[in-house]
Amino acid sequence: MKVSVIGAGYVGLVTATCLAEMGHEVICMDSDALRVELLRSGVVPIYEPGLDTMIQRNTQDQRLFFTTRLQDTLEAAEVLFIAVGTPPKEDGSADLAHVLAVARQVGQAMTKPLVIVNKSTVPVGTAERVEAVVSAALQERDRSALPFAVISNPEFLKEGAAIDDFMRPDRIVIGLPAGATGDLARTAMTRLYATLNRHHERTVWMDVRSAELTKYAANAMLATRISFMNEMANLADLVGADVDAIRRGIGSDSRIGPSFLYAGTGYGGSCFPKDTRALMQTAQLHGSQMHLVEATERVNQAQRQVLARRVMAHFGADLSGRRFALWGLAFKPQTDDMREAPSRLLIRQLLLRGAEIQAHDPVAMEAAQRVLVEDLADIDPGLSRVRFMADANAALEGADALLVVTEWKQFHNPDFELIRDTLRQPLILDGRNLYDPQQLQTLGLAYQGVGRRNALAEQAMAGAVGMESLARSATPARAMVHA
């Protein structure tokens, strides 16, 4: 089939590339001329494992094309995806300006029957608004008889695993309008996704409004599981339980399952924060209230400060002269996405109290530098107190403690003796529960995860004895910690 995708951002680029990989002929359009030129030259402006190779293969095989001209996308397209940004407004609602602008441009230029697919995450009723805008533009051209359908096909892509999510989906949600236009769209989308449904049917057909709300419901449910486990972790700290054991205990229940039960520093990224707030705003607009989602958001906002609170619990509120190693900057591994990353708030809080930061991330340091310039603009001297280290171990040099912020696999099995001997104090504050508290205690490392303390960390946090004394009592002389 001939397919067009408007928007070469994360969702649009993955959608266009994967459809081309399935054998369709795809034109991806973006108004950013520089971005299009980069893509044409083989440079991918986002980090997603495997995407650059797939783009190169499909452009060489002439199944994937990039353009800045809307007309190019409409000349042959049977299906057109709208995958432009829907950034949050100040009240939390989704800004549909880009979506509706594209709808008007399509209505002004289309010349043949077309299935228009809302791929962007949009609130309930957006398809109807897009349909009205396209219809008005067609009427201005005296082409109101030209048939088209506006449908909802929300994306469920996890950053870092987006290609696999698209090519091996759990489900394909498609919302159709009633009547002949819905029948037209169903036929087209059945053909489009035939490859993905070859072995068993993955498509879940429904009405358009239900499809739009399904996307928000899915993200709100996952966010709620995360916030619930973070609350359990905080309680585990107070009562002396281990949240990892709790996770395994409840995750083995088939009614609950193991996914999204990991405690940590809260969720971030482009989806969960934005979508939970948009869902709350939608409810308010309809005279209702999402009490559980509101609680989920409150818990997450508090949890994003957990590492900063623990730093201050040990070192005090004045961090002048202190230096901290940060492992991980992106909001999750396998991406360079810094949107609402917990590291941003943590860095700001530490700098406000006089600390210095030595940070390492496998792919997100360039993106982090860009966003931190703005985040720290009101702090003197701001970004100059953050050093970006090319090597994780180099970030440890002269640091008072190691803070683990993102669960990159490169951080899963470090040299703990090197960490202990390099840090000025043998303390790891782990925001992702990567390590075994008892193993680290044996090695003379004070360790505090989220809902997972070891005895050395409990004594250190209580101020019972100095960190060096703890290390000496737990390790042989050859493994003494540097002052």
Side-chain angles (χ1 to χ4, degrees):
M1 293 182 70
K2 296 185 182 300
V3 183
S4 292
V5 178
I6 299 180
Y10 187 86
V11 172
L13 197 52
V14 171
T15 298
T17 306
C18 288
L19 288 172
E21 183 75 6
M22 291 159 54
H24 300 297
E25 184 178 311
V26 184
I27 296 177
C28 185
M29 177 261 178
D30 198 280
S31 59
D32 187 334
L34 177 59
R35 175 174 288 249
V36 169
E37 190 57 39
L38 288 172
L39 288 165
R40 284 174 172 171
S41 64
V43 177
V44 181
I46 62 173
Y47 179 83
E48 178 64 32
L51 186 60
D52 52 352
T53 301
M54 191 177 283
I55 288 175
Q56 183 180 25
R57 178 169 61 249
N58 284 281
T59 52
Q60 288 177 348
D61 293 345
Q62 296 189 325
R63 287 191 300 270
L64 179 61
F65 306 88
F66 298 98
T67 184
T68 57
R69 298 181 65 249
L70 179 64
Q71 193 60 43
D72 293 341
T73 70
L74 293 173
E75 287 177 352
E78 301 167 74
V79 177
L80 181 140
F81 286 85
I82 299 178
V84 295
T86 54
K89 297 180 181 178
E90 289 187 8
D91 63 0
S93 62
D95 187 344
L96 297 179
H98 298 304
V99 172
L100 298 179
V102 168
R104 178 161 182 78
Q105 293 166 10
V106 169
Q108 291 171 334
M110 61 183 287
T111 59
K112 53 183 290 189
L114 187 63
V115 175
I116 301 171
V117 184
N118 272 346
K119 198 68 174 175
S120 304
T121 300
V122 293
V124 176
T126 299
E128 294 167 13
R129 295 182 64 182
V130 169
E131 181 182 6
V133 170
V134 173
S135 294
L138 288 173
Q139 191 169 8
E140 291 174 2
R141 299 168 52 208
D142 293 327
R143 299 294 301 272
S144 56
L146 193 61
F148 71 95
V150 180
I151 71 171
S152 175
N153 176 211
E155 54 87 12
F156 297 96
L157 305 177
K158 297 187 297 292
E159 291 190 48
I163 291 174
D164 193 59
D165 285 345
F166 195 102
M167 302 300 282
R168 298 176 181 83
D170 296 323
R171 76 289 201 199
I172 304 167
V173 172
I174 299 179
L176 302 174
T181 56
D183 294 339
L184 169 72
R186 182 166 186 146
T187 298
M189 298 306 287
T190 298
R191 288 177 56 208
L192 183 72
Y193 287 135
T195 299
L196 304 181
N197 288 307
R198 188 172 302 278
H199 298 295
H200 66 270
E201 182 66 33
R202 291 182 168 89
T203 303
V204 182
W205 303 97
M206 59 185 71
D207 63 279
V208 174
R209 285 186 165 235
S210 294
E212 291 171 334
L213 192 54
T214 294
K215 167 66 175 181
Y216 285 105
N219 280 352
M221 172 63 79
L222 297 175
T224 299
R225 286 170 67 98
I226 294 171
S227 283
F228 173 79
M229 287 307 293
N230 282 332
E231 287 214 299
M232 291 303 302
N234 295 336
L235 181 58
D237 272 334
L238 296 174
V239 303
D242 185 339
V243 76
D244 192 58
I246 297 166
R247 174 187 63 80
R248 289 182 278 112
I250 67 174
S252 59
D253 187 327
S254 61
R255 297 167 300 175
I256 298 174
S259 298
F260 286 82
L261 293 182
Y262 290 88
T265 59
Y267 57 76
S270 62
C271 293
F272 287 4
K274 177 171 71 75
D275 292 353
T276 52
R277 293 165 196 158
L279 185 58
M280 290 187 286
Q281 181 66 19
T282 296
Q284 290 175 12
L285 288 174
H286 289 81
S288 183
Q289 193 170 358
M290 303 291 291
H291 297 285
L292 185 57
V293 179
E294 290 174 4
T296 294
E297 173 69 8
R298 287 196 302 272
V299 170
N300 192 62
Q301 289 302 318
Q303 196 69 17
R304 286 157 59 90
Q305 303 184 52
V306 65
L307 283 181
R309 289 198 303 268
R310 289 179 176 178
V311 167
M312 289 182 282
H314 177 68
F315 294 99
D318 184 0
L319 300 177
S320 301
R322 299 291 184 182
R323 181 181 302 166
F324 298 98
L326 260 66
W327 281 4
L329 293 164
F331 88 93
K332 62 178 286 188
Q334 300 301 319
T335 181
D336 63 350
D337 196 339
M338 290 295 297
R339 286 174 287 186
E340 303 227 20
S343 64
R344 296 173 64 175
L345 179 60
L346 174 61
I347 289 171
R348 178 175 175 81
Q349 290 177 324
L350 297 183
L351 292 187
L352 280 170
R353 289 163 177 82
E356 296 181 357
I357 304 293
Q358 294 182 163
H360 172 75
D361 188 285
V363 303
M365 289 195 290
E366 183 178 340
Q369 290 182 59
R370 290 196 299 268
V371 298
L372 288 172
V373 167
E374 182 176 345
D375 287 356
L376 308 177
D378 62 332
I379 300 177
D380 186 28
L383 195 58
S384 65
R385 282 194 278 135
V386 180
R387 296 178 62 197
F388 296 93
M389 314 301 287
D391 178 78
N393 289 333
L396 304 170
E397 295 288 345
D400 291 282
L402 167 62
L403 314 182
V404 181
V405 187
T406 312
E407 63 273 33
W408 284 94
K409 288 184 178 179
Q410 294 93 318
F411 304 153
H412 283 211
N413 296 286
D415 185 336
F416 291 117
E417 292 186 355
L418 175 66
I419 293 174
R420 180 195 61 206
D421 295 347
T422 305
L423 291 173
R424 294 173 62 187
Q425 301 187 29
L427 174 62
I428 298 177
L429 299 179
D430 182 0
R432 297 301 176 182
N433 288 346
L434 296 186
Y435 310 130
D436 179 354
Q438 299 312 311
Q439 177 192 6
L440 269 60
Q441 179 175 330
T442 301
L443 292 171
L445 275 160
Y447 171 82
Q448 187 177 19
V450 182
R452 307 189 75 201
R453 283 186 172 178
N454 68 11
L456 291 181
E458 290 175 1
Q459 294 177 55
M461 293 302 170
V465 292
M467 292 295 293
E468 292 184 36
S469 298
L470 287 172
R472 291 190 186 97
S473 67
T475 59
R478 64 177 178 81
M480 286 299 187
V481 179
H482 299 308

